[in-house]
Amino acid sequence: MSIKQNVTELLNELPSGVQLVAAAKTMDAAKVVEAIEAGIEIIGENYIQEAEAKYNIIGKRVKWHFIGHLQSNKVKKAVAIFDMIETVDSVEIASAINKRCIETGKVMPVLIEINSGAEEQKSGVLPEKAASVIKEISGLTGIKVMGLMTMGILAGEPEESRPCFVKTREIFERIKSLDLPGVEMKYLSMGMTNSYEVAIQEGANIVRIGSKIFGQRKV
Ligand SMILES: *Cc1c(COP(=O)(O)O)cnc(C)c1O
């Protein structure tokens, strides 16, 4: 199947209100353009240098979401390129993004990454810390917390991720009910190629899909 066919199928299949992020790591600009021409409106990138190269070719005709692990020495470039950073996992990185945004007169929409699989995978804020981290960064005027992101379980059966998605949804609802000033709990980014159907059942409204669009990655 071609990238175009894959995108068309996915866009037909996803319920309205669910945004599709094309996770494009390792895919070259030509492939990304093919996906855009088939209807993709948001590109997800994990690595700043790789994102920058594609951004320089493709530009602002789409939205760019950062979905990798952000290091503080890459914040400047990340703020220049991305429309949303989905993977804020500490007060420190939130503060660094905030500082750069204030310098450049931007407000960056961010999601807080939740480590919902605990042992399985290290990145993200532990579920029990999520509310306190969000409270601590909610006053920063250069960022806007707009929801949560989680990876779930990376290998194995889709059903194995369901408890992670349920847990993240519960945290999402709990924080939403706190009605924190400056926080708008709107997006729940969960689900990848093997788990997006389960994620949508559990309330995801952003799914990040790579291999089902671009084919298997070589690395
Ligand atoms: C690579 C990646 C995806 C997409 O993974 P697929 O299994 O190829 O769909 C989604 N989210 C993140 C954070 C990723 O790094």
Side-chain angles (χ1 to χ4, degrees), residues 84-97:
M84 180 182 279
I85 296 175
E86 292 200 16
T87 46
V88 168
D89 64 355
S90 69
V91 171
E92 289 69 30
I93 201 72
S95 305
I97 297 165

Side-chain angles (χ1 to χ4, degrees), residues 60-115:
K60 290 206 170 292
R61 54 200 273 215
V62 281
K63 299 285 185 203
W64 297 82
H65 284 200
F66 187 71
I67 61 173
H69 184 72
L70 187 57
Q71 292 163 316
S72 51
N73 62 341
K74 301 282 170 64
V75 162
K76 203 167 162 175
K77 281 188 175 166
V79 166
I81 295 170
F82 291 98
D83 300 289
M84 180 182 279
I85 296 175
E86 292 200 16
T87 46
V88 168
D89 64 355
S90 69
V91 171
E92 289 69 30
I93 201 72
S95 305
I97 297 165
N98 175 63
K99 180 167 175 277
R100 183 60 187 164
C101 283
I102 288 173
E103 285 165 7
T104 54
K106 284 192 179 182
V107 178
M108 179 64 73
V110 302
L111 305 184
I112 306 306
E113 181 176 359
I114 303 297
N115 179 357

